[in-house]
Amino acid sequence: MSSYEIADRLMYAAAQFVNMAFIVRRVGAWARLPTMVPGDAAALLRRDGRVLGIVTAVLTVGGALVCLAGLASGLLPESWGQGFLWGAIVMLSLPAHVFNVVGTRLLVVARRQRWMLAIAAATAVLNAALDTIFFFAIGPIGIVVATLLLRWTMAGVYLVLLRSAVPRAIGQER
């Protein structure tokens, strides 16, 4: 359990950086989507998507490398080793996590926040099922693998929902 906590904390440190430095600053612009013309809204979302994509990719690779470097350095207490190895794996879910955070904000802008209750319920059920399946199949690292799979699966769910909700919200208050 401690190894998973270390791994999760490492990924969430990067996630909090993206959230506080980039996402929070963009929410106000996204809130104007219902009043924007489609071309301007599309340009805004493409630009923000590119910036967030680049920042998240750099943090994902950098975070995984820092975890592996820390592991290889021999400077960490031996008890932290597994946590840093798992941290490198969990770091691969950072892009999906960031997309899910952005997706939540965009669902609110599109006035589809009622969908988030179903998303939360599905996430909880799927998380419990995947954790159980992967834990019994491959041991404790199965929970790490399940987390990675869950975050990417939910990113796919958000993608499908956003492709429907966001275009309908753009310009609806004009």
Side-chain angles (χ1 to χ4, degrees):
M1 189 58 124
S2 296
S3 294
Y4 182 78
E5 286 298 317
I6 289 171
D8 213 38
R9 300 271 185 255
L10 291 166
M11 192 283 302
Y12 273 109
Q16 281 298 94
F17 174 77
V18 173
N19 189 48
M20 300 309 277
F22 295 94
I23 296 173
V24 170
R25 291 180 31 211
R26 300 308 303 151
V27 171
W30 298 339
R32 293 192 318 261
L33 289 172
T35 64
M36 296 176 77
V37 296
D40 292 344
L44 170 77
L45 291 172
R46 271 194 306 275
R47 183 182 63 246
D48 287 351
R50 263 192 311 276
V51 169
L52 281 170
I54 291 167
V55 167
T56 303
V58 167
L59 283 173
T60 299
V61 172
L65 289 175
V66 164
C67 289
L68 294 174
L71 188 60
S73 73
L75 299 174
L76 299 174
E78 189 175 318
S79 60
W80 291 14
Q82 187 174 34
F84 271 70
L85 176 61
W86 290 5
I89 296 168
V90 172
M91 198 63 71
L92 300 176
S93 71
L94 180 63
H97 174 78
V98 168
F99 187 79
N100 295 343
V101 170
V102 170
T104 299
R105 301 321 185 263
L106 290 175
L107 285 178
V108 171
V109 168
R111 293 186 174 83
R112 299 290 190 266
Q113 56 269 32
R114 68 183 176 278
W115 292 356
M116 290 189 295
L117 182 59
I119 291 168
T123 300
V125 169
L126 189 56
N127 187 42
L130 290 173
D131 281 353
T132 302
I133 291 166
F134 281 94
F135 180 82
F136 285 114
I138 58 177
I141 197 169
I143 294 174
V144 175
V145 173
T147 297
L148 186 69
L149 183 60
L150 175 69
R151 287 182 181 150
W152 281 102
T153 299
M154 294 315 296
V157 169
Y158 271 103
L159 181 63
V160 169
L161 295 175
L162 292 172
R163 289 182 59 95
S164 167
V166 172
R168 284 191 234 155
I170 293 172
Q172 77 182 24
E173 292 179 11
R174 294 193 79 224

